[in-house]
Amino acid sequence: MKVTKSDITISAVAPKQYPSEGLPEIALAGRSNVGKSSFINKLINRKALARTSSKPGKTQTLNFYIINEAFHFVDVPGYGYAKVSKTEREAWGRMLETYFTQRENLKAAVLLVDLRHQPTADDIRMYEFLKHHNIPVIVVATKLDKLKKAQVAKNVKLVKQTLNLDPNDQLIPFSAETAQGKEEAWRVLESYL
Ligand code: GDP
């Protein structure tokens, strides 16, 4: 996809704030620091529309980005940050539950995991949560450039096994540094739009 226009529409905490134009949405989820902002920025050719390394402690919002006036990316706040309080974690959980279970515009979710490491318990929970709600999942495995070539296939297998990835779900190794995986990611995302 050639992205010619992208902008933030709204940072929302509640359904009444979600955009109302009825455009399709693709949600992006992953643990803090996995490379979610970098992935979004790379796909839309922007340096910093999605904030990289947004600090926990800020209000946790769903950020809606409008792309080519045709669809929204929905940036879901990252999980797995140790210093978040129980109250904040619970509020985050309710916000996600509401969005993922009620939003009719949602077409698919991108789950970002770090290709260098075995997926965490939180990654597994998020994958199972999305599957449970019958949301199509595309796994994007980030930081591909940090791995030696010989290591890639082994780590892809480890990610697939640990998530117990449905054979119908796609896994795309990706690097925000080299843009490897970008074309494939767009190809898969477009099939849901
Ligand atoms: P977020 O918290 O998930 O939004 O993560 P960020 O996009 O802010 O990335 C966290 C850190 O990882 C930043 O220092 C990024 O520059 C770095 N990073 C993200 N993606 C990649 C990648 O594909 N390759 C490399 N080498 N670094 C990356």
Side-chain angles (χ1 to χ4, degrees):
M1 173 167 311
K2 190 170 170 354
V3 176
T4 52
K5 211 168 172 199
S6 56
D7 214 340
I8 178 134
T9 302
I10 193 164
S11 295
V13 289
K16 61 179 187 305
Q17 301 170 307
Y18 299 166
S20 56
E21 311 94 315
L23 296 175
E25 290 168 6
I26 293 186
L28 301 106
R31 67 173 180 75
S32 303
N33 235 24
V34 70
K36 183 156 54 67
S37 314
S38 304
F39 174 75
I40 296 172
N41 289 329
K42 197 76 201 172
L43 257 65
I44 63 179
N45 309 311
R46 294 282 294 257
K47 279 219 158 57
L49 184 64
R51 286 163 299 165
T52 41
S53 299
S54 51
K55 293 278 171 294
K58 283 197 197 134
T59 319
Q60 301 265 283
T61 56
L62 293 169
N63 293 331
F64 290 76
Y65 299 101
I66 186 157
I67 315 298
N68 288 350
E69 293 176 350
F71 67 95
H72 281 106
F73 273 153
V74 183
D75 187 0
V76 174
Y79 50 80
Y81 191 80
K83 283 182 185 156
V84 172
S85 72
K86 188 163 174 257
T87 317
E88 283 172 310
R89 216 187 309 271
E90 284 168 358
W92 176 90
R94 278 194 301 275
M95 186 171 75
L96 259 71
E97 184 89 28
T98 304
Y99 176 77
F100 281 113
T101 59
Q102 297 178 11
R103 188 63 168 166
E104 286 181 2
N105 308 42
L106 178 66
K107 302 298 173 200
V110 174
L111 176 63
L112 295 110
V113 298
D114 190 327
L115 185 56
R116 295 172 302 171
H117 309 297
Q118 184 167 30
T120 65
D122 284 331
D123 292 331
I124 298 168
R125 249 194 302 276
M126 181 58 77
Y127 180 70
E128 288 178 349
F129 170 82
L130 295 168
K131 296 301 286 181
H132 177 76
H133 292 291
N134 293 317
I135 298 159
V137 185
I138 304 131
V139 176
V140 167
T142 63
K143 312 198 183 183
L144 171 62
D145 58 285
K146 292 207 172 188
L147 286 174
K148 293 208 173 65
K149 271 220 174 73
Q151 196 71 25
V152 174
K154 195 170 152 243
N155 286 31
V156 165
K157 195 172 161 198
L158 179 69
V159 170
K160 285 183 175 173
Q161 277 176 348
T162 308
L163 292 178
N164 194 14
L165 195 79
D166 184 327
N168 296 316
D169 289 343
Q170 309 230 28
L171 183 150
I172 305 169
F174 178 83
S175 166
E177 291 287 316
T178 66
Q180 266 180 288
K182 179 178 166 179
E183 297 306 320
E184 192 186 354
W186 267 130
R187 218 172 16 250
V188 176
L189 293 183
E190 280 179 80
S191 71
Y192 290 104
L193 291 168

